[in-house]
Amino acid sequence: MRLHPKDADFQNLMGLTQLAMENPSKASKYFKNSYKINPRTSVALNLSSAYIEDGKFLKAIQLLKKVNKDKVSENYQYPERIFHNIALAAERNRNHRQAVKYYQVALSENPNYYLSLMRLGQLYEKSKRPLDAQKTFVKAKNSCPKCFDPVNALAMGFIAKGKHRSAFRVLKRYARKNEISDENRMKAKKLIVMVKKIARSRPNPNKKGKLATSKTGKRKSQAQKRGPRKTRATTF
């Protein structure tokens, strides 16, 4: 910190560097110094991220709530980021109720904020609220059409419900998009193969021995009526 001690931008950059190197404690010192020189909401957010990575969840929440009320944040263009970090700190602290509340507040500020949509959807899954999770992941998918994570979350949700065709469709549509990366396309294709394997291995209720009445009045099973049954793969 001796180098450029009064340069707020430099101190903030050093904090981001330390955070990227997974040194949140050192990052915090740089962010604090930057904020003292020039109080900015963006730097406070960075400091809260360092606190969260350092396991200081309550300290992060306290800082963010204070910053949110500060005049410095009155004209801040991205208030959803403040509430998202409060929610993230609460989630890491295993306070899921508070986390859901603040993710929802973040989304009230910006309904298309992808990070909050994904975290909220995952919390709904943990809370056994599959319909809310599905709706939220759909919003996340629409918010970021190139992103694989919401598509993956939707597909896995459908698989868990036994809705393999729905999982196949959402993955197939995504894989056909021109704008997605080759890496994400490969992920989608691998998941499609997995869905097909699961679908083939599940019992088919239509193949159970149903009884039918023959012309002579005797009842025969469908298997007896049709003769030897051929093995057929499930198709989409």
Side-chain angles (χ1 to χ4, degrees):
M1 286 191 287
R2 293 177 182 177
L3 191 64
H4 305 294
K6 295 183 179 181
D7 189 332
D9 289 334
F10 177 80
Q11 296 296 322
N12 183 52
L13 181 60
M14 288 298 296
L16 290 171
T17 302
Q18 290 297 324
L19 196 58
M21 294 171 64
E22 299 183 358
N23 295 321
S25 183
K26 289 183 179 180
S28 298
K29 294 178 182 179
Y30 284 108
F31 291 137
K32 283 180 183 177
N33 201 41
S34 177
Y35 194 77
K36 286 178 183 177
I37 299 167
N38 183 11
R40 289 175 292 175
T41 306
S42 58
V43 176
L45 274 170
N46 292 340
L47 178 57
S48 74
S49 295
Y51 282 152
I52 291 169
E53 293 305 314
D54 206 19
K56 298 177 180 178
F57 310 121
L58 296 179
K59 202 167 184 178
I61 292 171
Q62 184 180 14
L63 168 68
L64 290 164
K65 286 185 175 181
K66 182 180 178 181
V67 168
N68 185 50
K69 294 178 181 179
D70 200 306
K71 289 183 178 180
V72 175
S73 300
E74 284 182 357
N75 297 319
Y76 185 57
Q77 293 181 326
Y78 310 105
E80 66 273 12
R81 297 181 183 180
I82 297 173
F83 298 116
H84 175 85
N85 272 20
I86 292 175
L88 183 60
E91 183 183 353
R92 294 278 186 90
N93 201 34
R94 298 184 180 180
N95 189 340
H96 288 181
R97 182 176 295 182
Q98 185 182 27
V100 168
K101 173 186 173 181
Y102 279 98
Y103 283 134
Q104 290 173 339
V105 174
L107 291 169
S108 70
E109 294 287 346
N110 181 358
N112 296 315
Y113 191 48
Y114 175 77
L115 295 178
S116 290
L117 286 168
M118 285 302 301
R119 295 307 314 157
L120 181 60
Q122 289 164 354
L123 276 182
Y124 282 149
E125 280 189 329
K126 291 179 182 178
S127 304
K128 296 181 180 180
R129 297 168 62 178
L131 290 178
D132 288 329
Q134 182 180 331
K135 290 177 183 177
T136 307
F137 288 137
V138 168
K139 290 178 182 178
K141 179 174 70 70
N142 294 336
S143 173
C144 183
K146 296 181 182 180
C147 296
F148 175 71
D149 286 344
V151 174
N152 179 64
L154 283 169
M156 297 307 292
F158 286 133
I159 291 169
K161 295 176 185 177
K163 297 181 178 180
H164 303 97
R165 289 181 183 276
S166 297
F168 176 83
R169 289 190 191 101
V170 72
L171 288 165
K172 197 69 175 178
R173 289 193 197 103
Y174 177 77
R176 286 173 178 167
K177 291 184 177 180
N178 295 324
E179 65 269 25
I180 66 173
S181 67
D182 292 337
E183 181 183 359
N184 284 344
R185 196 183 314 280
M186 186 60 65
K187 288 179 181 178
K189 287 182 177 180
K190 285 182 179 179
L191 197 50
I192 287 171
V193 172
M194 187 189 81
V195 172
K196 286 183 176 181
K197 286 181 179 179
I198 295 172
R200 289 189 185 113
S201 65
R202 65 177 178 170
N204 190 337
N206 295 325
K207 291 186 178 181
K208 290 181 179 179
K210 295 182 180 180
L211 296 177
T213 305
S214 67
K215 292 181 180 179
T216 59
K218 295 180 180 180
R219 303 180 78 192
K220 297 181 180 180
S221 71
Q222 291 285 8
Q224 290 173 326
K225 190 175 180 180
R226 287 191 293 244
R229 186 172 58 189
K230 296 181 180 179
T231 302
R232 292 187 300 173
T234 303
T235 57
F236 291 88

